[in-house]
Amino acid sequence: MISSRYNPNQRVTVAVDCVIFGFDSEKLKLLLFKRKIDPFKGSWSLIGELIDNDVSLEDSANQILYKLSGLDNVYLRQLKTYGAVERDPLERVISVVYYSLIRIDEFNLKSTESHDAHWFDFEEIPELILDHGQMVKDAIRRLRLRARNRPIGFELLPEFFTLPQLQTLYESIYNTEFDSRNFRKKILSLGILNKTEKKDKSSSRKGAFLYQFKEKSLDNSSMNNGDFDKIREVIQF
Amino acid sequence: MISSRYNPNQRVTVAVDCVIFGFDSEKLKLLLFKRKIDPFKGSWSLIGELIDNDVSLEDSANQILYKLSGLDNVYLRQLKTYGAVERDPLERVISVVYYSLIRIDEFNLKSTESHDAHWFDFEEIPELILDHGQMVKDAIRRLRLRARNRPIGFELLPEFFTLPQLQTLYESIYNTEFDSRNFRKKILSLGILNKTEKKDKSSSRKGAFLYQFKEKSLDNSSMNNGDFDKIREVIQF
DNA sequence: CCAAAAGTGTTAAGCATACACCCATGC
DNA sequence: GCATGGGTGTATGCTTAACACTTTTGG
């Protein structure tokens, strides 16, 4: 093994961990894993890997998700890097954490993984190893922050979805309830949705119209500040 | 040198870099340094160091600032971690970047540093090494984002300051101008300032009242969303 | 026909914006 | 006495928030 040319004495291991959020049309969920190696084998944790020498941080995170699910191009953002000296008891490990938003309906765990993984409701998140609990708290806070300023969560829904579903998603993110009239007004005023003529009748007899995001608007549009603003940190995670 | 117990083949060096913002009562500035080692010796860059094995990321950043200026307890936040494979031509280096806000009036560069460092106006920022230019852009965007939601920038002012100074600071952060009546109304309505009876006459004959931040409000208060909102990304950095 | 969810409009309050003049002082 | 920057109030439009009833349809 070759040591650093800049500093031969540095001994630091770098890992990437992923906070994976999903939405099943009713609740926002978090994907957790039973750790397969010691220390803490068998405890719940985020999924992660040590990085390879020739893979960027972002690609590392993408690879983790791809290996897990076969999904490519998932929504993935860097959250924060955790670098306390003693955070891992075995050796100095610095963890660069990403969070991702995925559509549970498109997400199929590879069978080898599936019995070691579980989607948790937020109220049921178990004790996590190391500082993973803090990572999850930070990720939720970030998700809320982002959802205030941008039409996030579109990554969490299937291509066609109803307004009640979208409202439920936002209610789930902020752990609160919205007035449906105001919610629809605001969302529709953004002009980023295409209404289709189809209805989804899976959750009511009347059926709700299906909408789709206008492709182009996804990247560009940022909602006015103040959107979905009434709600802030209703529950402290 | 001992290799990682988790992955003996990993060879990654970890550095911490700091984006240092300062304010001199007129303009927001950025502190840059002439790099002292190869590669790129002599080019402008952020200041940074490889981390020590037994120092946390945050402490590393604090130490960098302390060594530089003797200042302790400066405002310091993690920005982002940069981990492209080829970002440093010599070897794989991952850089965890922090940004800090300091009061230039309290900040005295140690003499050994001072001739290799310079405060730059934003319009005059030179070409920087590696991806440091991107880091600065990201830091400015983050600073603006934070200033929207919180009474930031109080770290950038001396203990006693005038409202025109505070307004100049915000104008400098957003690269725009505010209406002074609206600005004062908004700031004062936050209830986080103590007015003193003293005046600062350094910039006008009439003199401007000095204000001070209410200690307690610094941490807790977060401004309403929408404050200082008119301005968004007026200039694209 | 009834239960259950979808869909729809109006009003009131608060907030952001635009805008122009007097004040205090040192020189 | 005048030039310079500090300080102040009001009117308008927009955005948000509160609020209740009708529609559709499967069973």
Side-chain angles (χ1 to χ4, degrees):
Chain A
M1 176 172 182
I2 300 165
S3 57
S4 166
R5 275 173 274 191
Y6 284 124
N7 176 358
N9 297 318
Q10 195 183 79
R11 281 203 309 268
V12 175
T13 301
V14 178
V16 164
D17 289 305
C18 292
V19 179
I20 302 175
F21 293 112
F23 185 65
D24 67 355
S25 296
E26 296 203 356
K27 288 193 145 188
L28 192 61
K29 307 217 175 197
L30 180 66
L31 187 60
L32 296 174
F33 299 82
K34 277 205 182 121
R35 176 151 157 144
K36 293 187 192 125
I37 60 170
D38 267 320
F40 308 114
K41 186 171 174 176
S43 300
W44 290 103
S45 77
L46 300 176
I47 192 164
E49 283 193 359
L50 302 191
I51 66 168
D52 288 330
N53 296 324
D54 56 352
V55 180
S56 75
L57 293 172
E58 195 157 319
D59 287 346
S60 289
N62 271 311
Q63 283 179 17
I64 289 170
L65 284 170
Y66 183 74
K67 278 193 223 164
L68 200 63
S69 66
L71 286 185
D72 219 343
N73 285 92
V74 285
Y75 181 95
L76 193 67
R77 291 289 181 279
Q78 192 182 300
L79 174 64
K80 194 178 166 183
T81 299
Y82 296 76
V85 177
E86 303 289 350
R87 54 178 294 280
D88 190 304
L90 188 55
E91 65 185 25
R92 179 83 192 267
V93 180
I94 285 175
S95 172
V96 183
V97 178
Y98 284 76
Y99 69 99
S100 70
L101 307 180
I102 58 181
R103 307 172 180 180
I104 290 186
D105 66 322
E106 289 183 359
F107 187 82
N108 288 305
L109 281 174
K110 299 239 167 121
S111 54
T112 50
E113 305 286 346
S114 58
H115 62 286
D116 286 321
H118 187 249
W119 287 104
F120 285 90
D121 285 355
F122 279 17
E123 306 79 40
E124 298 168 350
I125 295 172
E127 187 87 3
L128 302 180
I129 64 165
L130 308 176
D131 48 4
H132 288 201
Q134 185 62 44
M135 293 170 179
V136 170
K137 282 185 200 171
D138 291 344
I140 293 170
R141 187 172 304 128
R142 182 75 132 267
L143 177 63
R144 289 180 175 170
L145 188 67
R146 260 197 109 74
R148 259 211 270 278
N149 300 321
R150 334 198 120 244
I152 214 177
F154 303 0
E155 329 285 344
L156 288 158
L157 291 167
E159 186 182 357
F160 295 95
F161 55 89
T162 66
L163 289 185
Q165 274 171 8
L166 184 60
Q167 181 171 347
T168 304
L169 170 58
Y170 269 90
E171 290 176 341
S172 181
I173 289 175
Y174 288 111
N175 193 43
T176 189
E177 293 187 357
F178 294 96
D179 177 278
S180 66
R181 286 163 292 190
N182 293 336
F183 182 84
R184 301 169 77 94
K185 220 180 307 169
K186 204 179 297 191
I187 284 287
L188 293 174
S189 76
L190 297 175
I192 56 177
L193 297 186
N194 283 326
K195 186 177 183 176
T196 71
E197 290 311 309
K198 292 174 187 163
K199 282 194 165 189
D200 169 41
K201 297 201 172 179
S202 63
S203 71
S204 77
R205 308 177 197 262
K206 183 179 180 182
F209 282 105
L210 288 164
Y211 288 77
Q212 187 186 28
F213 292 105
K214 292 183 187 171
E215 282 303 330
K216 284 209 171 171
S217 62
L218 281 186
D219 292 331
N220 313 339
S221 75
S222 79
M223 302 195 292
N224 284 338
N225 271 66
D227 286 346
F228 308 108
D229 212 31
K230 164 191 158 193
I231 320 88
R232 53 195 97 180
E233 307 302 308
V234 178
I235 282 204
Q236 296 294 340
F237 280 91
Chain B
M1 175 172 182
I2 299 165
S3 57
S4 166
R5 275 173 275 191
Y6 284 123
N7 176 358
N9 298 318
Q10 195 183 80
R11 280 203 308 267
V12 175
T13 301
V14 178
V16 164
D17 289 303
C18 292
V19 179
I20 303 175
F21 293 112
F23 185 64
D24 67 356
S25 296
E26 296 202 357
K27 288 192 144 188
L28 192 61
K29 307 214 173 196
L30 179 66
L31 188 60
L32 296 173
F33 299 82
K34 276 204 182 121
R35 177 148 154 145
K36 294 189 191 119
I37 60 169
D38 268 319
F40 309 114
K41 187 170 173 176
S43 299
W44 290 104
S45 78
L46 299 176
I47 192 165
E49 283 192 359
L50 302 191
I51 67 167
D52 288 330
N53 296 323
D54 56 352
V55 179
S56 74
L57 293 172
E58 195 157 320
D59 287 346
S60 289
N62 270 310
Q63 284 180 16
I64 289 170
L65 284 170
Y66 183 74
K67 277 192 223 163
L68 200 64
S69 66
L71 285 185
D72 218 343
N73 284 94
V74 285
Y75 181 94
L76 194 67
R77 292 289 182 278
Q78 192 182 302
L79 174 64
K80 193 177 167 185
T81 299
Y82 295 76
V85 177
E86 303 289 350
R87 54 178 294 279
D88 190 304
L90 187 57
E91 64 184 26
R92 178 82 192 268
V93 180
I94 285 174
S95 172
V96 183
V97 178
Y98 284 77
Y99 68 99
S100 70
L101 307 180
I102 57 179
R103 306 172 181 180
I104 291 187
D105 66 322
E106 289 183 0
F107 187 82
N108 289 304
L109 283 173
K110 299 242 168 116
S111 53
T112 50
E113 305 287 346
S114 56
H115 62 285
D116 287 322
H118 187 248
W119 287 104
F120 284 91
D121 285 356
F122 279 18
E123 306 80 41
E124 299 167 348
I125 294 172
E127 188 86 4
L128 302 181
I129 63 166
L130 306 176
D131 48 4
H132 288 201
Q134 185 62 43
M135 294 170 178
V136 169
K137 282 187 202 171
D138 291 346
I140 293 170
R141 185 172 304 129
R142 183 73 134 269
L143 177 62
R144 288 179 176 170
L145 187 67
R146 259 197 111 74
R148 260 212 269 280
N149 300 321
R150 334 200 117 242
I152 214 177
F154 303 0
E155 328 286 345
L156 287 158
L157 292 166
E159 186 182 357
F160 296 95
F161 55 89
T162 67
L163 290 186
Q165 275 171 9
L166 184 59
Q167 181 172 348
T168 304
L169 170 58
Y170 270 90
E171 290 176 342
S172 181
I173 290 175
Y174 289 110
N175 193 43
T176 189
E177 294 188 357
F178 295 96
D179 178 278
S180 67
R181 285 163 293 192
N182 294 336
F183 182 84
R184 301 167 78 94
K185 220 181 303 170
K186 202 180 297 189
I187 284 287
L188 293 174
S189 75
L190 297 175
I192 56 177
L193 298 186
N194 282 327
K195 186 177 184 178
T196 71
E197 291 309 310
K198 292 174 189 162
K199 282 194 164 188
D200 169 42
K201 298 203 171 179
S202 64
S203 70
S204 77
R205 307 175 200 265
K206 182 177 178 182
F209 282 106
L210 287 164
Y211 288 78
Q212 187 187 28
F213 291 106
K214 291 182 186 172
E215 281 305 328
K216 283 207 171 170
S217 60
L218 281 186
D219 293 332
N220 313 338
S221 76
S222 78
M223 303 196 290
N224 284 336
N225 272 67
D227 285 348
F228 308 106
D229 212 29
K230 164 191 157 193
I231 319 86
R232 51 196 98 183
E233 308 301 309
V234 178
I235 281 202
Q236 296 295 340
F237 281 91

